[in-house]
Amino acid sequence: MEQLSSAKSASCSISVTFNQPATLYELVGWFSVSFPDGTKLGTGPKDPQTHWKQCIMLLPIPIETDRGTEVSGVVEVAAHRTHNRKLMVECYLKAGNTAQQQKYCFV
């Protein structure tokens, strides 16, 4: 993922190929940040636990997958226009002939 800097937005491509049938109900996201004094803070699954948590983005329509199904898309993150503590996240996902878009707002 790109840095959320003066542009106040970033995006990343995602792609996962399933090795067995499954139902995809949500995406999970986390962040990592480095402060000017060298302190680092992360909320990833391998980072030390803090009061910050991962964010869960429920899909409006679950995606059914088979072995070999590729789910791909783009996740865009932007600073909220009027609330500086909020992030706007938009997901575009495609699996076979199924495509969906969903917007989320996190504090």
Side-chain angles (χ1 to χ4, degrees), residues 10-74:
S11 66
C12 71
S13 297
I14 58 173
S15 178
V16 63
T17 301
F18 286 77
N19 61 10
Q20 63 185 21
T23 304
L24 180 62
Y25 292 97
E26 71 232 0
L27 298 177
V28 178
W30 55 84
F31 70 87
S32 298
V33 63
S34 297
F35 295 99
D37 68 358
T39 304
K40 295 182 179 188
L41 171 66
T43 62
K46 295 182 180 180
D47 290 319
Q49 189 173 4
T50 71
H51 69 284
W52 294 89
K53 303 293 181 203
Q54 296 85 20
C55 59
I56 296 173
M57 297 166 275
L58 298 174
L59 300 178
I61 302 168
I63 297 174
E64 298 294 333
T65 68
D66 291 317
R67 185 173 197 267
T69 299
E70 179 186 14
V71 177
S72 60
V74 175

Side-chain angles (χ1 to χ4, degrees), residues 94-99:
K94 184 175 190 306
N97 295 327
T98 304

